[in-house]
């Protein structure tokens, strides 16, 4: 959800945070039909809408880069605006790895955010057998990874790695006046509040 919030803000052709989605072209997100259900939950909660999550079927369960390419090209003709592709680096149900490099090429061609769900499988890049198939991880705009899985961290933990921190700031940053270094409190002229004078 954090990654798709950043993608929505960074790749929508309008300011989603300021204007909301109403009255603007539908934003669309693409993934294979095997993608984890958390993606559907995220698009619902972000107001993108479940109908705008396009789950592309293929005979082997992998996200087909050529089909994706055609879908992204068609979306613009239909007045939709693709913002993100979620590729899987190991699905929860079958361990399927999408063709990450081919998908990254397509995303670059269409200016779409590439999120890779490596929650389960990303650490396999450290193993010779999977290094080449997971090499496309390096091209993602964001990667989700769950250290409590193959990294054996003994408590539930989810992490998001981003290529560029700026889109996260753009979508989440709020600086209330009371915590701004430029805030002037009564009696303190323009001096920034110190920890002891800052309201709790
Ligand atoms: C491939 C994959 N993606 C996403 C998730 C969801 O991860 P989380 O529960 O950390 O949101 C899981 C959890 O099992 C998963 O295996």
């Amino acid at each position: 959800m954090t990654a798709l919030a950043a993608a929505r803000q960074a790749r929508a052709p309008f300011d989603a945070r300021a204007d909301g989605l109403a009255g603007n072209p539908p934003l669309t997100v693409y993934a294979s039909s095997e993608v984890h259900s958390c993606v559907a939950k995220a698009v619902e909660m972000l107001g993108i809408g479940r109908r705008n999550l396009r789950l592309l079927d293929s005979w082997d369960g992998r996200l087909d880069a050529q089909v994706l390419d055609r879908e992204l090209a068609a979306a613009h003709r239909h007045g939709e605006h693709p913002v993100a592709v979620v590729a899987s680096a190991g699905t929860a149900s079958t361990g399927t790895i999408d063709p990450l490099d081919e998908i990254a090429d397509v995303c670059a061609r269409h200016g779409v955010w590439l999120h890779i769900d490596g929650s389960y499988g990303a650490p396999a890049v450290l193993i010779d057998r999977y290094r080449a198939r997971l090499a496309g991880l390096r091209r993602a705009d964001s990667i989700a990874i769950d250290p409590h899985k193959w990294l054996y961290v003994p408590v539930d933990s989810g992490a998001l790695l981003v290529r560029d921190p700026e889109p996260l700031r753009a979508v989440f940053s709020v600086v209330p006046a009371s915590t701004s270094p430029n805030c002037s409190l009564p009696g303190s002229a323009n001096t920034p509040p110190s920890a002891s004078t800052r309201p709790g």
Side-chain angles (χ1 to χ4, degrees), residues 84-174:
V85 170
V86 180
S88 298
T91 59
S93 49
T94 62
T96 298
I97 299 171
D98 287 330
L100 304 180
D101 257 323
E102 291 172 40
I103 291 170
D105 289 341
V106 173
C107 288
R109 196 154 46 243
H110 292 274
V112 170
W113 182 284
L114 174 58
H115 174 69
I116 299 185
D117 180 3
S119 304
Y120 164 46
V125 73
L126 302 172
I127 304 168
D128 285 344
R129 182 169 166 200
Y130 288 103
R131 186 160 298 144
R133 285 174 66 190
L134 291 170
L137 280 166
R138 70 184 185 283
R139 300 179 61 191
D141 293 292
S142 55
I143 301 173
I145 183 164
D146 279 359
H148 64 268
K149 292 179 177 144
W150 281 1
L151 295 180
Y152 300 104
V153 169
V155 290
D156 279 359
S157 47
L160 182 71
L161 310 176
V162 288
R163 170 172 302 282
D164 174 9
E166 193 42 47
L168 285 181
R169 247 180 246 120
V171 72
F172 290 115
S173 172
V174 174

